[in-house]
Amino acid sequence: MSWVWIFEEDEGVEEDDDDVMVDEEDDLGVFEFRYVNEICFCFLYNETTAAGHSMRHRFPTPPHLKRLHHQLSAFFTTAAHVFEKCSSVTKVKLLHQQLTVNGLAASDPTALQKIVGMYISCDAPSHALVTLSRIPPSPSSVFWWNSLIRRAVRLRLLDHALELYHGMQSLGWRPDGYTFPFVLKACGELPSFRRGVSFHGVVCILGYENNVFVGNALVTMYGRCSDLDSARQVFDEMILSEITDVISWNSIVAAYMQSGDSKKALHMFYRMTKGENQLHADAVSLVNIFPALASVQASIQGKEAHAYALKTQLIKDLFVGNAIVDMYAKCGLMDDANRVFEQMELKDVVSWNAMVTGHSQIGRFEDALGLIEKMREEKIELNVVTWSAVISGYAQRGHGHEALDIFRQMVFSGSEANVVTLVSLLSGCASVGSLLQGKEIHCHVIKKILNIKNNDNGDEQMVINSLIDMYAKCKSIDLARKLFDPILPLNRNVVTWTAMIGGYAQHGEANDALKLFSQMVNYENTPTTPNAFTISCALMACARLANLRHGKQIHGYILRTQFHSDVLFTHNCLIDMYVKSGDLDTARVVFNTMEQKNTVSWTSLMTGYGMHGYGHEALRLFAGMRDSDSGLRIDGVTFLVILYACSHSGLVNEGMECFDAMTKEFKIVPGVEHYACMVDLFGRAGQLEKAMEVIETMPVEPSPVVWVALLGSCRVHTNVKLAEYACDKLLELGCENDGTYTLLSNIYADTKRWKDVSKIRFLMKGSGIKKRPGWSCVQGKTGLVTFYVGDKDHARSDEIYDVLGDLIHRIKELGYVPDTSFALHDVDDEEKGDNLVEHSEKLALAYGILTTSCGQPIRITKNLRVCGDCHVAMVYISKIIDHEIILRDSSRFHHFKNGSCSCKGYW
């Protein structure tokens, strides 16, 4: 049936200049409006009646205005029925115009409410808002305000949604229980904690705190604003009021998931389904909980949830199916993931991406690339997530070059890289030290992200952090610092600081790492709380410097703040720091108090015992590790550590037994490093023939580390012929470094072959090789102080040399005779003795005696192996001072106390 509305002038009434004619045609028919002297005439025709005849109905001209309003009201009711099916804003405007001209707008609020509804249905919110602002406030009409606010939230016009709320209040309208869920959702998605809290206050004032919809919205809002305590408080109050539903539980579970607390999310889910409430999980519940199960690798519970989804038919939901596939993939159960994937009736690109990501994360790159080919065959558009998944998988496993190859394919396919892609690429470059490709990605970042106006600040920060990390790991620490410095302290997040601190700790100056860490936690007005990785990097720097004082301060910070008490690698770093700073007792205390230990925990402490010459303690710890019921995996690294401990303690028989156990009992194939340890084991014990026998029977070609071990043993036992042979082998392998030449030069000097010493130095000069200057540092009252040979730059230099002269005089009375072979100069013995006094480790010891309280240990770190004469001198000095001398050189630790050293000559 088609209706035609005709508004025309009545017969006998003349047109004048005030006439207005509007003619518009669409699928509903033709209609006309005519105004003559503010009187409107309207005719309604049914053009296609069942009889096929025209039928005319006329609304006669009323004798007075009151009757006209009544008739026009009837007209509006009929017209509204037609216009509600129409999406044309113009038609609604015409209808609104008629109501306004004839006074119905002022006298009939119901009519205006219908006009508001028409505007909203025609997606004309501004017209709806203007119309709504002219309606007197009433509880029934709040619905239209809620509709406008809901529309703004749906379109993510979040600030506008809140403006609508405040505009509503300013006009005297009172919000109802359906207003606040939309307003609180806007606060959560912004997020705006301050405004969310203020709305919570209004909710309580108006008495809607027991409204389940409002309560659910409050939980969600606090969760998205990262205030889990408030979210949980609101939820617990809902539990007490007995107004919770499945949505309430889903909201609190989602809040915990958004904060990364999967364990609490799972706890709340089990309370919902198995506690007093016994609510049935819906699709949203499962979509929330599968990622939580994946994050804690709870595959058994994941299979139980999968069974529930099958039983309740919820698995037919696409989102649930995708969540199950993703859960199995992240648990590494790709066969299970594939079964679910194949059984899914509906799949989208998310389904395929979950499979691609799963294969990539476990290193099955051929399967991942095969899936990409299938996606192409089935005409499923590869999006940036698909490509990024493979790139990220390669990068995380250290295959940086392969990641770059996939990126090139991505670019050729026409896909645009996003922030995740670029961050993964930079990670890949960092993993293989590919500086050139890293710089290329940097250029791409500048063009695509950093030079774009109104870009997301979070994305920019993420990419800059990755660039800093890439340059630092590629050993371009200066370039990393040039990116770091322009960032205002207020804009540096914990990742920014950690990337720079970690770069200095691993590849730069450890002192700079500690300075930055101090700035980070003490910066005026903008201190940044470190995370577990930051703490670990700072501890790594302390370990490199043997800086026990700073290490203890960081340990104190951890204890005071109860910081990451459950983070295993932080405790492992503490053990490593104490071990390398010479405090084995505290390292053992940390180890003993750890609730959880892994292989790294045991091997770190065993390494410490080996470095300090306590081989028997290392073997006892190894036995405890083997007997442990925690299922620890003993691998090649473990045996490398224990063989190192045996070699540095002269435990030849024990070392041979461990080597045999490694091959026969544990079926571990020895690597070249294990053979190097055996060469060192025999060589240090003076059994050079057995050391050569190990080298000759090795199933693999000896690497430089093997020949260096042999050369070091030749230095201790003055075997010139074998030393020359080892040195020739090193030069054949291209190992022309200062250490090789220096060792051989020292051996020649021991046998007074000064011409050969000069020859070695001439070769070094011709090759452009410079001997590293030896230095020693000692902990003073204000920090570490470094000394070089013959150093007289220190402010207390005169006092230092006076103390040292007095010590040498006193120990000579005890029988000390300077070993002039370590002077390594072709001069007379008296002058050699003077040179020996100026060695850096002796200067550091004298300064330590000046500045260290009586009874406290003096801790010295040397970058090279300790001089033999200095070693003998410190044994004597330890008899006459009230300090233990703890010296760490490039090979091991030496504890001098009461006239003996912990190394027992094995250094």
Side-chain angles (χ1 to χ4, degrees):
M1 181 178 293
S2 178
W3 292 93
V4 179
W5 296 89
I6 301 177
F7 298 83
E8 60 182 28
E9 67 179 80
D10 194 17
E11 295 177 3
V13 180
E14 296 180 357
E15 287 188 47
D16 62 13
D17 293 338
D18 292 327
D19 288 0
V20 178
M21 185 77 78
V22 179
D23 193 354
E24 186 171 331
E25 188 168 346
D26 69 356
D27 58 341
L28 293 176
V30 179
F31 51 94
E32 296 180 0
F33 294 85
R34 181 178 295 277
Y35 308 95
V36 180
N37 298 325
E38 298 183 355
I39 301 296
C40 176
F41 299 91
C42 109
F43 295 90
L44 171 63
Y45 295 90
N46 178 351
E47 292 186 316
T48 54
T49 61
H53 300 291
S54 295
M55 180 183 299
R56 174 169 173 161
H57 300 279
R58 176 171 179 174
F59 290 89
T61 304
H64 50 79
L65 188 60
K66 183 176 179 180
R67 186 177 176 188
L68 174 65
H69 282 182
H70 175 73
Q71 290 175 332
L72 282 175
S73 180
F75 149 73
F76 173 78
T77 302
T78 308
H81 175 71
V82 176
F83 280 108
E84 281 173 357
K85 300 179 181 180
C86 176
S87 62
S88 171
V89 178
T90 305
K91 297 183 181 72
V92 182
K93 284 182 180 179
L94 293 172
L95 193 58
H96 190 184
Q97 187 180 53
Q98 287 300 297
L99 290 171
T100 304
V101 167
N102 294 287
L104 274 177
S107 61
D108 189 358
T110 304
L112 280 183
Q113 290 179 29
K114 293 182 179 180
I115 289 293
V116 171
M118 291 181 188
Y119 277 132
I120 292 175
S121 65
C122 293
D123 201 25
S126 58
H127 297 295
L129 181 60
V130 171
T131 307
L132 190 57
S133 64
R134 295 172 180 169
I135 299 175
S138 66
S140 62
S141 301
V142 175
F143 170 83
W144 300 112
W145 283 103
N146 294 344
S147 298
L148 288 172
I149 295 171
R150 176 178 58 189
R151 175 188 175 277
V153 173
R154 178 172 53 82
L155 296 175
R156 297 197 60 77
L157 304 172
L158 305 175
D159 286 311
H160 178 58
L162 299 181
E163 289 170 4
L164 286 171
Y165 172 85
H166 293 301
M168 166 189 175
Q169 276 201 319
S170 67
L171 292 171
W173 293 77
R174 178 188 172 98
D176 62 13
Y178 298 100
T179 311
F180 289 108
F182 302 130
V183 173
L184 291 168
K185 185 177 182 181
C187 293
E189 292 188 3
L190 275 168
S192 176
F193 175 76
R194 180 180 56 82
R195 286 183 278 189
V197 170
S198 66
F199 283 125
H200 190 179
V202 176
V203 164
C204 295
I205 291 170
L206 297 180
Y208 290 113
E209 65 269 23
N210 289 327
N211 183 305
V212 66
F213 303 112
V214 176
N216 293 344
L218 281 168
V219 172
T220 302
M221 181 274 293
Y222 279 123
R224 291 188 174 177
C225 291
S226 302
D227 185 0
L228 283 178
D229 292 337
S230 296
R232 184 59 184 268
Q233 184 178 348
V234 172
F235 178 80
D236 289 341
E237 289 172 358
M238 292 174 69
I239 291 283
L240 291 174
S241 301
E242 298 182 349
I243 59 169
T244 55
D245 57 10
V246 173
I247 297 173
S248 314
W249 288 91
N250 289 345
S251 299
I252 192 65
V253 169
Y256 280 123
M257 280 303 298
Q258 288 160 12
S259 71
D261 195 340
S262 301
K263 292 181 180 178
K264 284 189 178 177
L266 287 168
H267 173 71
M268 296 306 293
F269 176 78
Y270 289 131
R271 274 189 61 187
M272 177 184 91
T273 55
K274 297 179 181 180
E276 300 175 358
N277 304 278
Q278 289 287 317
L279 295 173
H280 293 291
D282 60 9
V284 176
S285 309
L286 295 179
V287 170
N288 278 337
I289 209 61
F290 277 118
L293 294 166
S295 68
V296 297
Q297 298 289 294
S299 57
I300 295 176
Q301 291 84 350
K303 289 181 177 181
E304 292 174 355
H306 181 190
Y308 175 84
L310 287 168
K311 181 180 178 181
T312 57
Q313 298 295 306
L314 289 174
I315 198 168
K316 293 182 179 179
D317 184 289
L318 177 62
F319 297 103
V320 173
N322 287 344
I324 295 173
V325 171
D326 184 66
M327 180 273 296
Y328 281 127
K330 287 179 178 174
C331 289
L333 303 174
M334 289 311 300
D335 292 336
D336 294 303
N338 190 59
R339 275 192 291 271
V340 177
F341 178 77
E342 293 295 337
Q343 292 169 3
M344 288 174 65
E345 296 178 5
L346 293 175
K347 299 184 185 77
D348 61 4
V349 69
V350 176
S351 320
W352 288 88
N353 286 346
M355 292 295 294
V356 171
T357 303
H359 283 304
S360 299
Q361 294 303 312
I362 63 173
R364 288 163 58 170
F365 297 111
E366 290 184 5
D367 292 332
L369 296 174
L371 279 171
I372 288 178
E373 288 303 316
K374 285 185 180 180
M375 291 175 72
R376 285 171 171 161
E377 290 171 7
E378 298 193 19
K379 299 189 182 333
I380 298 172
E381 184 178 357
L382 302 175
N383 61 17
V384 67
V385 177
T386 320
W387 293 107
S388 298
V390 183
I391 291 170
S392 175
Y394 274 125
Q396 288 177 16
R397 299 179 74 84
H399 303 310
H401 298 299
E402 290 83 352
L404 289 166
D405 289 338
I406 296 297
F407 176 64
R408 293 186 188 97
Q409 293 182 37
M410 174 184 174
V411 173
F412 291 148
S413 72
S415 294
E416 282 287 334
N418 64 9
V419 173
V420 175
T421 319
L422 296 172
V423 167
S424 298
L425 279 170
L426 290 169
S427 174
C429 294
S431 68
V432 295
S434 184
L435 181 61
L436 180 60
Q437 284 79 6
K439 288 181 176 180
E440 291 175 358
I441 302 301
H442 190 175
C443 294
H444 190 82
V445 165
I446 291 171
K447 290 188 291 185
K448 297 294 183 180
I449 294 181
L450 300 183
N451 276 354
I452 297 177
K453 294 181 179 179
N454 301 321
N455 205 356
D456 187 285
N457 290 332
D459 288 350
E460 286 192 5
Q461 190 64 54
M462 190 186 304
V463 173
I464 291 173
N465 291 346
S466 297
L467 283 168
I468 293 171
D469 182 66
M470 182 274 295
Y471 281 121
K473 288 180 178 175
C474 289
K475 302 181 182 180
S476 293
I477 202 74
D478 291 339
L479 292 176
R481 190 62 190 255
K482 285 179 180 178
L483 284 169
F484 177 84
D485 284 338
I487 305 172
L488 295 174
L490 185 64
N491 296 329
R492 295 173 188 164
N493 59 23
V494 65
V495 180
T496 317
W497 287 99
T498 303
M500 198 67 240
I501 292 169
Y504 275 127
Q506 294 178 27
H507 303 295
E509 290 293 333
N511 275 319
D512 291 329
L514 294 177
K515 287 177 185 176
L516 271 185
F517 181 77
S518 179
Q519 289 178 24
M520 173 185 177
V521 297
N522 298 312
Y523 216 97
E524 294 181 4
N525 302 322
T526 57
T528 304
T529 302
N531 61 21
F533 295 102
T534 325
I535 293 287
S536 300
C537 290
L539 289 171
M540 187 189 309
C542 292
R544 286 183 60 134
L545 295 169
N547 192 331
L548 185 62
R549 178 177 296 178
H550 277 97
K552 284 185 173 182
Q553 289 173 356
I554 295 171
H555 192 182
Y557 176 83
I558 294 171
L559 295 174
R560 285 194 307 273
T561 59
Q562 294 295 306
F563 181 83
H564 290 288
S565 58
D566 60 341
V567 178
L568 184 58
F569 64 81
T570 303
H571 286 90
N572 289 342
C573 287
L574 272 172
I575 293 174
D576 183 65
M577 182 276 296
Y578 279 117
V579 160
K580 292 178 179 176
S581 298
D583 192 346
L584 265 180
D585 292 339
T586 308
R588 188 59 189 253
V589 170
V590 173
F591 177 84
N592 290 340
T593 55
M594 290 172 65
E595 295 181 3
Q596 181 186 2
K597 303 179 182 72
N598 62 5
T599 303
V600 177
S601 315
W602 291 84
T603 54
S604 295
L605 191 57
M606 279 191 286
T607 301
Y609 282 127
M611 289 176 67
H612 289 262
Y614 302 124
H616 289 293
E617 284 296 325
L619 287 169
R620 278 192 283 271
L621 196 64
F622 178 60
M625 181 181 180
R626 293 176 65 175
D627 298 337
S628 172
D629 56 0
S630 56
L632 294 170
R633 180 171 175 264
I634 296 178
D635 55 14
V637 175
T638 314
F639 277 100
L640 191 63
V641 167
I642 202 64
L643 289 173
Y644 170 90
C646 290
S647 71
H648 279 70
S649 301
L651 304 177
V652 178
N653 293 331
E654 291 84 345
M656 293 172 63
E657 290 173 3
C658 288
F659 189 82
D660 289 339
M662 177 180 71
T663 56
K664 296 175 182 178
E665 182 181 347
F666 291 88
K667 309 299 180 186
I668 297 172
V669 178
V672 68
E673 296 86 0
H674 297 97
Y675 287 107
C677 277
M678 294 303 293
V679 170
D680 192 57
L681 176 74
F682 290 121
R684 285 177 186 272
Q687 301 178 26
L688 294 176
E689 291 181 1
K690 285 190 176 181
M692 274 303 300
E693 185 180 335
V694 170
I695 295 174
E696 291 168 353
T697 57
M698 283 174 59
V700 293
E701 283 295 319
S703 68
V705 68
V706 176
W707 295 113
V708 168
L710 181 63
L711 188 59
S713 299
C714 293
R715 165 71 175 88
V716 175
H717 299 286
T718 321
N719 190 320
V720 178
K721 184 177 180 180
L722 199 54
E724 290 176 333
Y725 177 73
C727 189
D728 289 340
K729 289 294 184 181
L730 282 168
L731 295 177
E732 286 177 13
L733 294 172
C735 295
E736 290 187 276
N737 56 52
D738 66 324
T740 303
Y741 285 115
T742 300
L743 273 174
L744 187 59
S745 176
N746 291 345
I747 294 171
Y748 286 142
D750 285 346
T751 56
K752 302 186 185 301
R753 292 170 57 173
W754 301 114
K755 289 183 179 180
D756 289 321
V757 171
S758 299
K759 182 181 176 182
I760 291 295
R761 291 178 178 174
F762 178 78
L763 287 173
M764 290 177 67
K765 186 176 181 179
S767 303
I769 298 172
K770 294 183 179 180
K771 184 181 182 296
R772 285 173 294 168
W775 53 258
S776 299
C777 65
V778 63
Q779 182 71 58
K781 291 183 177 180
T782 58
L784 292 174
V785 180
T786 302
F787 293 93
Y788 294 87
V789 62
D791 200 333
K792 295 183 179 179
D793 292 336
H794 196 275
R796 302 182 69 179
S797 182
D798 291 340
E799 293 179 77
I800 292 169
Y801 277 93
D802 287 344
V803 169
L804 190 53
D806 180 62
L807 288 172
I808 297 298
H809 175 73
R810 292 172 64 188
I811 63 175
K812 280 183 177 180
E813 293 178 350
L814 296 176
Y816 163 70
V817 176
D819 189 346
T820 55
S821 66
F822 288 97
L824 303 184
H825 293 289
D826 189 11
V827 293
D828 60 57
D829 287 349
E830 185 177 350
E831 189 175 345
K832 286 180 181 180
D834 293 338
N835 289 336
L836 290 172
V837 172
E838 298 178 349
H839 280 194
S840 63
E841 49 265 63
K842 290 191 179 81
L843 297 175
L845 174 60
Y847 179 78
I849 293 172
L850 278 173
T851 57
T852 306
S853 301
C854 187
Q856 294 298 310
I858 298 171
R859 302 177 187 277
I860 302 170
T861 302
K862 183 173 174 63
N863 67 324
L864 305 175
R865 293 182 74 172
V866 64
C867 159
D869 176 73
C870 291
H871 188 276
V872 174
M874 288 186 181
V875 169
Y876 276 98
I877 291 172
S878 68
K879 291 181 178 181
I880 61 174
I881 62 174
D882 294 328
H883 304 276
E884 179 184 2
I885 305 167
I886 302 174
L887 187 148
R888 169 185 159 187
D889 68 7
S890 61
S891 177
R892 58 168 301 143
F893 273 88
H894 302 266
H895 293 252
F896 300 95
K897 189 174 183 179
N898 299 327
S900 65
C901 179
S902 61
C903 74
K904 298 180 178 64
Y906 288 95
W907 58 276

